[in-house]
Amino acid sequence: ACFRIVVLFRMVVWLLVGTEPLPSAFQLLATHDGLTGAFTRRAALQMADAEMQRWLRHPQPVAVLLPDADHFKPLNAVDGHLVGDTVLHDIAAQVIGALRASDRLGRFGGEEFVAVLPATDLAAAVAVAEQVVASVRSLPVLPDRPRCTVSVGVASAQADDARFDQVLGRADAALYLAK
């Protein structure tokens, strides 16, 4: 009986150790967009909500960028979805490259992204947004990727904000103006 328990214990240990990377792979799939490498909308909004809760407890600046690919729907219609995928992938890479290590980028919708910038006031966020625009604009035109540009909405948390969606709403209004 003792031998059987030892064998059973070893099998359980082997299963736990042998399948340890599997939850990590599932975690990555659940939190990252497969095309762009950015966080999923859900993961990005969870991080944004956590950052907002931190801001409510210990007010430090926090800002949001909403980068959105310009003229994306006609590009998809004319050049096809594979070209559109290339454009989105390359835009995400440029945006991630323009952000700091502490900033988080998520794919918010089709061609729209959301970036959460902790410890960043509005002026600094505008500077980052300008960097994002310039970085994407610098992408060379290739046969499988036409000229890419983005517009960016920017907002920061204000004293009367209680929820992240308030900041997000202002960033969305700013994006509308930028377009």
Side-chain angles (χ1 to χ4, degrees), residues 23 27 48 61 63 68 110 113 136-137 174-176:
Q27 178 79 14
D68 185 76
F113 297 88
V136 171
R137 189 178 293 127
L175 174 60
Y176 180 77

Side-chain angles (χ1 to χ4, degrees), residues 39 51 60-65 92-105 115-129 131-132 155:
F39 285 98
E51 193 59 43
Q60 284 191 351
V62 61
V64 174
L65 305 182
Q94 293 299 112
V95 174
I96 290 169
L99 298 176
R100 303 167 302 182
S102 60
D103 301 333
R104 298 290 176 249
L105 181 71
V116 179
L117 287 62
T120 307
D121 63 18
L122 187 58
V126 167
V128 172
Q131 227 178 339
V132 164

Side-chain angles (χ1 to χ4, degrees), residues 8-114:
L8 182 60
F9 179 73
R10 283 185 177 177
M11 288 177 64
V12 168
V13 168
W14 178 80
L15 284 172
L16 290 174
V17 172
T19 60
E20 188 177 333
L22 201 53
S24 299
F26 285 135
Q27 178 79 14
L28 186 67
L29 288 172
T31 59
H32 289 77
D33 178 61
L35 175 64
T36 64
F39 285 98
T40 61
R41 177 186 177 113
R42 181 177 183 206
L45 291 177
Q46 286 175 337
M47 287 184 276
D49 285 336
E51 193 59 43
M52 191 69 182
Q53 292 305 311
R54 195 174 3 267
W55 179 80
L56 289 169
R57 285 190 313 275
H58 309 288
Q60 284 191 351
V62 61
V64 174
L65 305 182
L66 282 179
D68 185 76
D70 295 326
H71 314 294
F72 187 75
K73 290 191 187 349
L75 179 143
N76 246 359
V78 172
D79 296 316
H81 291 283
L82 292 178
V83 171
D85 286 353
T86 299
V87 167
L88 288 176
H89 176 271
D90 293 349
I91 286 174
Q94 293 299 112
V95 174
I96 290 169
L99 298 176
R100 303 167 302 182
S102 60
D103 301 333
R104 298 290 176 249
L105 181 71
R107 187 167 177 196
F108 198 58
E111 70 275 7
E112 190 174 37
F113 297 88
V114 60

